[in-house]
Amino acid sequence: MEENMKFATVEDTVEYRLFLIPDKRGDPEEHREILQKYIERIMTQFAPILVPYIWQNQPFNLKYKPGKGDVPAHIFGMTKFGDNIEDEWFIVYIVKQITKEFPELVARIEDNDGEFLLIEAADFLPKWLDPDNSANRVFFHQGELCIIPAPRKSGTVSWLPTTPPTISQSLSIISTHPEKILASESVRAAVNRRIRGYPEKIKASLHQAHCFLPAGIAAVLKQHPRLVAAGVQAFYLRDPIDLRACRVFKTFLPETRIMTSVTFTKCLYAQLVQQRFVPDRRSGYKLPPPCHSQYRAHELGMKLAHGFEILCSKCSPHFSDSKKSLVTTSPLWAGFLESLKKNDYFKGLLEGSVQYQERLEMAKNYFQLSVNRPESSHAMSPGEEILTLLQTIPFDIEELKKEEAYLPPEDDERWLDLSPDQLDQLLQEAAGKKEPESISKGQEENYDLTRVSESMKAFISKVSTHKGAELPREPSEAPITFDADSFLNYFDKILGSKSHESDSDDLDEEDSECLDSDDDLDLETQEPGEEASVKGTLDDLKSYMAQMDQELAHTSIAKSFTTQKQMEPLSQTTNDNSEEEDSGTGGSVMTPVDVDLNLVSNILESYSSQAGLAGPASNLLQSMGVQLPDNADHRPTSKPTKD
């Protein structure tokens, strides 16, 4: 009956905690009261952007959490953001702004992956920081990202613990040394780049579309637009048991459908559109031909109606009335409403007007979910909330049909069909890289391929640890010099030529992690006997290499490389041959391989064979900041000639 059914999904979760700095707490009871007031102030101050936000799964919420062990009492929140990663980064923006508005608060945020802020800024982190020692080091304070450093040697900095700090230690350090724990500018820029554009970005993440929906759903969404997420998720995660309730509709009858405008997030809209689904014939939901001008509206409405019917089918026919508690009975509501008015939440609307009542209903819903949030065991499910709204919201189908003529236009959905160039641009922006400049035809002809060889030399000259190779962070970085004598001396020590030499494992771990280049290798001065030994080793190696060259000279391996002699002018080659004959060596003299030319030639061949797709050559070069022009010549590649 249908394809692409999804049965389960991983619900990604983000947790966020707000701590008071030590000198602002007071005794435990005062501490609790202070934190409760902060919750009210925060949720009220940020209500204008939090109230209309459509969450994928759960909203931003805060509650008091008592202290336990070395973790003091604090404000805690947890949100399941599911497939919409933008919900998580919006929460990062909110938490960052909270610490900016309330400097006495320190925030910590992490998700299923742990310190995801460090993952975002992985390219710019200090070398000492890794997942094993990052616990309780990353915080937001006064609107800035802070990383508590680790001392290079124990006891060098009195106020820094030698082991990963506890929460209490971290808060004390932030309180007493705020200027010394600020994350580097590049790390802060990487995180700020990810949340750039909020809160204006919220509007850009929405998508408005026409849907042919049952009137009851249209009325519910008009009062509570956020419930569209629950409807989409119910349809998206349906299973065969859920679909039993959709064989014959009991709550949202197809004959009550009207055309209305629904606001989705782009993530929700994409989830609803991309699934192919054929309704049961018994349901009464029939679709017009695909060529029909409003086929998309009928299809969206049918899918959304199935989601809402599934939600309501999971409710008991007589669910407890105790769950229908009024928001206005809460002792916090009056103060919350007064704070909303002071913050101009109602935008000067006349009290009692239709627009005022709509914003008031949204505020009540927000208050119930985020401020006066009940325990999960007593919270209303989305289906129960929908059934309750259907009983309390008066709506007239005929009036709703009259509004069809005044619906706002639909948003353009071309963003669903990205071209390869647009996708590349989005990936570049997500990675925090500037979009590479397009290379004109004239630039292609004069493109300097020496950048390829220079970048590769800088890459292979990097000293890497057991953790992997390191790419040069900037393409303009000067090539790192390589001291062959120092390297051989160091290698000779590892092989144990002298028994009293220290083994490589005896190197201080901290020193080895700081080795960024071969210049950092600090070797002891050689004695005369050692110098002679190293010189003899080098002579032996050169002799072996010469013999190998002679054996390989007339094989296919030798022919696969371009040598410097092959690229020289004919006249110069003739002179060289004369000199060889005079010397009596003939063709036995080996001409050196042109390393740069072979390197560039092979990379270009690999790049050409990718046919414009991603591949090892383009990935490696782009990581080093080298952007090759597009290959317009699709003929078989050949070795390039040297200018």
Side-chain angles (χ1 to χ4, degrees):
M1 183 178 67
E2 65 167 346
E3 299 177 15
N4 300 330
M5 179 181 292
K6 184 173 181 177
F7 294 93
T9 186
V10 177
E11 293 185 326
D12 291 320
T13 304
V14 58
E15 295 183 356
Y16 33 98
R17 293 173 171 83
L18 299 167
F19 301 90
L20 263 176
I21 56 178
D23 56 349
K24 298 289 184 179
R25 294 176 188 167
D27 61 60
E29 191 59 34
E30 289 177 342
H31 191 192
R32 180 187 180 96
E33 293 179 1
I34 292 172
L35 291 178
Q36 291 286 9
K37 290 181 180 178
Y38 270 110
I39 292 176
E40 296 176 28
R41 291 172 62 189
I42 291 169
M43 300 307 289
T44 303
Q45 182 161 338
F46 289 91
I49 60 175
L50 288 173
V51 170
Y53 192 86
I54 299 176
W55 299 92
Q56 179 79 9
N57 198 328
Q58 292 180 339
F60 178 85
N61 59 87
L62 297 175
K63 67 177 181 180
Y64 170 82
K65 192 163 188 176
K68 184 178 180 181
D70 61 353
V71 180
H74 58 279
I75 301 171
F76 174 78
M78 182 181 71
T79 298
K80 292 180 181 179
F81 58 88
D83 294 328
N84 193 359
I85 192 68
E86 286 302 322
D87 282 4
E88 180 178 36
W89 288 105
F90 178 53
I91 290 174
V92 173
Y93 167 78
I94 293 294
V95 169
K96 183 177 184 291
Q97 291 301 116
I98 289 173
T99 62
K100 185 176 181 180
E101 296 293 329
F102 304 97
E104 59 276 17
L105 291 177
V106 178
R108 175 160 169 72
I109 184 167
E110 56 186 342
D111 66 5
N112 302 72
D113 296 323
E115 302 287 354
F116 70 97
L117 297 179
L118 296 184
I119 297 174
E120 186 67 24
D123 291 338
F124 311 102
L125 296 179
K127 288 185 177 296
W128 62 265
L129 189 59
D130 58 43
D132 296 331
N133 62 10
S134 62
N136 302 329
R137 293 190 185 276
V138 186
F139 294 86
F140 277 113
H141 179 52
Q142 297 182 355
E144 296 292 348
L145 186 67
C146 300
I147 299 178
I148 297 177
R152 287 190 171 272
K153 295 181 180 179
S154 59
T156 54
V157 183
S158 59
W159 51 273
L160 286 178
T162 56
T163 58
T166 63
I167 290 290
S168 297
Q169 288 175 326
S170 297
L171 295 176
S172 298
I173 292 172
I174 293 172
S175 177
T176 54
H177 303 279
E179 72 286 348
K180 297 180 180 179
I181 59 171
L182 197 64
S184 66
E185 184 177 352
S186 56
V187 172
R188 285 181 285 141
V191 175
N192 291 336
R193 190 185 303 114
R194 194 63 177 81
I195 59 177
R196 183 174 53 200
Y198 284 112
E200 295 79 10
K201 192 177 178 180
I202 298 174
K203 188 175 181 181
S205 69
L206 301 178
H207 182 88
Q208 204 164 41
H210 291 172
C211 297
F212 195 51
L213 278 173
I217 300 178
V220 167
L221 292 179
K222 193 173 183 180
Q223 290 254 349
H224 294 272
R226 66 167 186 85
L227 286 173
V228 69
V232 172
Q233 291 295 292
F235 174 77
Y236 187 65
L237 303 176
R238 66 197 180 279
D239 57 34
I241 297 176
D242 292 334
L243 291 176
R244 290 178 185 175
C246 299
R247 292 173 181 171
V248 179
F249 277 64
K250 297 179 180 179
T251 306
F252 302 106
L253 305 180
E255 53 267 22
T256 64
R257 287 179 291 177
I258 53 102
M259 190 67 70
T260 187
S261 181
V262 178
T263 301
F264 302 86
T265 63
K266 288 183 176 178
C267 180
L268 291 170
Y269 185 74
Q271 286 181 327
L272 201 62
V273 167
Q274 63 90 25
Q275 291 210 350
R276 297 178 60 186
F277 178 76
V278 178
D280 194 296
R281 293 181 179 179
R282 293 168 287 184
S283 68
Y285 280 85
K286 297 180 179 179
L287 297 177
C291 59
H292 193 277
S293 60
Q294 300 208 343
Y295 174 80
R296 176 55 62 87
H298 282 74
E299 184 187 34
L300 290 173
M302 176 270 295
K303 293 178 179 179
L304 205 52
H306 277 71
F308 273 76
E309 187 73 19
I310 290 171
L311 289 174
C312 294
S313 68
K314 295 182 178 181
C315 303
S316 171
H318 307 287
F319 58 90
S320 175
D321 291 339
S322 62
K323 295 181 180 180
K324 305 177 186 179
S325 57
L326 294 175
V327 171
T328 53
T329 60
S330 171
L332 302 174
W333 169 249
F336 180 75
L337 182 60
E338 188 63 28
S339 298
L340 287 180
K341 293 177 180 178
K342 289 180 180 178
N343 283 277
D344 195 28
Y345 167 73
F346 293 99
K347 304 294 183 183
L349 295 172
L350 183 64
E351 190 169 348
S353 64
V354 175
Q355 293 87 349
Y356 182 93
Q357 288 301 123
E358 288 179 357
R359 294 190 72 83
L360 181 63
E361 286 298 322
M362 291 174 65
K364 288 180 180 179
N365 183 52
Y366 166 78
F367 177 83
Q368 183 69 18
L369 290 172
S370 303
V371 182
N372 193 41
R373 190 181 184 187
E375 294 299 325
S376 59
S377 58
H378 303 292
M380 292 177 66
S381 68
E384 292 171 344
E385 189 176 354
I386 292 168
L387 291 175
T388 301
L389 291 171
L390 289 175
Q391 296 171 9
T392 57
I393 298 176
F395 62 91
D396 185 351
I397 296 180
E398 295 303 321
E399 288 294 324
L400 291 174
K401 286 184 177 180
K402 291 179 182 178
E403 295 178 3
E404 292 180 358
Y406 305 100
L407 295 179
E410 295 183 284
D411 289 337
D412 193 339
E413 60 177 34
R414 281 182 296 181
W415 55 269
L416 278 172
D417 302 316
L418 293 177
S419 65
D421 291 340
Q422 291 173 319
L423 182 59
D424 287 340
Q425 181 180 350
L426 287 177
L427 292 174
Q428 290 285 343
E429 292 175 356
K433 301 176 182 177
K434 295 181 180 180
E435 182 183 3
E437 298 180 358
S438 59
I439 302 175
S440 64
K441 186 174 181 180
Q443 289 175 314
E444 288 183 15
E445 295 176 355
N446 299 322
Y447 191 83
D448 187 6
L449 291 176
T450 57
R451 286 193 60 199
V452 178
S453 60
E454 290 174 357
S455 299
M456 190 64 67
K457 287 178 182 177
F459 170 64
I460 63 175
S461 297
K462 270 285 188 182
V463 173
S464 301
T465 67
H466 62 282
K467 297 180 180 179
E470 296 181 8
L471 290 168
R473 293 184 178 177
E474 296 294 337
S476 60
E477 185 178 4
I480 300 171
T481 59
F482 180 78
D483 188 346
D485 293 336
S486 297
F487 175 78
L488 286 173
N489 184 32
Y490 186 65
F491 190 75
D492 188 56
K493 288 186 177 184
I494 294 177
L495 292 177
S497 60
K498 293 185 71 67
S499 60
H500 68 271
E501 294 294 348
S502 61
D503 190 77
S504 60
D505 293 335
D506 294 332
L507 289 174
D508 186 80
E509 181 180 356
E510 180 180 298
D511 295 336
S512 65
E513 289 183 355
C514 297
L515 293 177
D516 290 332
S517 69
D518 292 318
D519 294 332
D520 293 329
L521 295 173
D522 185 15
L523 301 175
E524 298 178 0
T525 305
Q526 295 178 338
E527 297 178 1
E530 292 178 350
E531 291 182 2
S533 175
V534 171
K535 185 177 180 181
T537 303
L538 285 173
D539 291 340
D540 290 342
L541 285 175
K542 291 178 180 179
S543 176
Y544 291 143
M545 293 298 295
Q547 293 179 30
M548 291 175 62
D549 288 342
Q550 291 294 334
E551 293 178 5
L552 296 174
H554 303 290
T555 64
S556 58
I557 295 178
K559 297 177 182 178
S560 65
F561 291 97
T562 303
T563 62
Q564 293 179 359
K565 181 179 179 181
Q566 292 174 345
M567 307 314 302
E568 291 173 355
L570 182 60
S571 59
Q572 185 176 348
T573 305
T574 305
N575 294 334
D576 290 344
N577 290 337
S578 303
E579 294 174 2
E580 290 176 8
E581 293 174 358
D582 294 339
S583 64
T585 57
S588 62
V589 176
M590 296 296 299
T591 55
V593 172
D594 193 323
V595 178
D596 289 351
L597 182 61
N598 282 276
L599 171 67
V600 173
S601 175
N602 290 326
I603 288 180
L604 290 179
E605 287 186 16
S606 177
Y607 182 76
S608 177
S609 66
Q610 294 175 193
L613 302 176
S618 59
N619 291 341
L620 181 61
L621 291 174
Q622 288 180 9
S623 299
M624 295 186 293
V626 178
Q627 181 72 19
L628 288 178
D630 292 334
N631 181 21
D633 186 3
H634 299 288
R635 294 174 297 176
T637 57
S638 60
K639 300 275 186 183
T641 56
K642 198 171 186 178
D643 293 337

